[in-house]
Amino acid sequence: MSFGFLGIQMGFALQNANASRILQIFGANVEELSWFWIVAPLTGMIVQPIIGHYSDRTWTKLGRRRPYFLTGAILASIGLILMPQADMFIAFLPALWVGAGFLMIMDASFNIAMEPFRALVADKLPGDQTTLGFSIQTVLIGIGAVIGSWLPWAITNWFGVANTAEPGTVPPSLIISFICGAVVLIGTILITVFTTKEYSPEETAAFEEERETEVETAVKRKGFGQVLEDIAAMPTTMKQLGLVQFFSWFALFGMWVYTTPAIAHHIWKLPIDDTSSQAYQDAGDWVGIIFGFYNLVSAIYAFLLPSIAAKIGRKSTHAVSLIIGGLGLISMYFSPNKYWLIGSMFGVGIAWASILAMPYAILAGSIPLKKMGIYMGLFNFFIVLPQIINAIIGGPIVKSLYGGNPMFAIITSGVFMILAAFTLRFVKDKDDPALTA
């Protein structure tokens, strides 16, 4: 059921670990990086509620959710293949702008695929199995992310493919890695599409009769008006989780955007404007290694989440995990060499596993099945808004307040992750198995 997420996350990991590196190769300054990344959350904010709304109302030979994540996978694969080769189009536009455009296409496509996948898990599992379901999904996400993050390093060190190129050109190792990611993405999605069945509208309606929530009082209306009414009738738990998500994803966005220049400058001692030397490419490959490590930790920790949550509750599990992640990010500043960063990423991996599973497990119990898609899509607002805000203000802050040093943006991310843990105290999780046992 969740196997396709392995491919999605492999592509997503390639993007997260290498997008800033590629954009800098094409000429982006460090303070401009967050502005190029803004296309990702903007497209997510627009795409996911629409996809969620219509996936709730779709029924085809492929089912309800599957047509959407298959379409998203095809489009994302095109973006993966073409983004690192954007310099092919310089006769029409600068490579930097073409690369940013393919980043937008790629991220919009990931958004088309991701939330229908999450809704599929919530569609098919009863409340007492959602924590386990999202945890298994997190395991597959972790495996895919490890492969995607480590792939450029492996292609260079195992197969001898060069990780350097002429200034303004992406190294062959990255181009091959992105092509491999596209192939795996399509393959894993097709496995889910052809091996997973979905409940028919009639079966879903029968299940829904057994599950009443506060959202059931919403007035029925077709089209965009229904989306507005769904927003107005948003479950209380979903609103409370919004603040937790805001701080969590503000932190993650800062980490993804600034880790490559931060490590190149802080650990490799390179000038901020060095984007083509062998040392810079080595730093970029090491970012893939440590990002892969945090995803590996995430995959392992995800196995433990259901049992931990059953003992201390989902809120406490998530809060502790976020604090560990925040301390891990802050510790990057004190790392004396690149190997110490692995320990920092251990904490990030703990937080990442929890972020991918616990908010959705808490949320699923407060949403009616027939509106699972739209609310999973609307929940994405609390993910993309902090990223948009960080994208707008992050660059000027790094340039003016942090003196151009992106490592301070990483520290800020750690502080925000700890703030996310604090805001969990205001969330009500009435469907928590630890409280109802």
Side-chain angles (χ1 to χ4, degrees), residues 251-285:
L252 290 169
F253 186 84
M255 179 188 73
W256 290 329
V257 172
Y258 293 111
T259 295
T260 296
I263 287 178
H265 179 64
H266 192 73
I267 302 296
W268 265 261
K269 309 300 182 183
L270 299 177
I272 289 296
D273 59 356
D274 183 346
T275 61
S276 60
S277 68
Q278 178 70 61
Y280 176 80
Q281 301 300 347
D282 289 342
D285 284 348

Side-chain angles (χ1 to χ4, degrees), residues 241-251 382-383 385-386 389 416:
L241 281 169
L243 195 58
V244 180
Q245 293 291 84
F246 179 90
F247 287 121
S248 300
W249 286 89
F250 189 99
F382 301 123
I383 294 175
L385 285 176
I389 293 173
F416 269 71

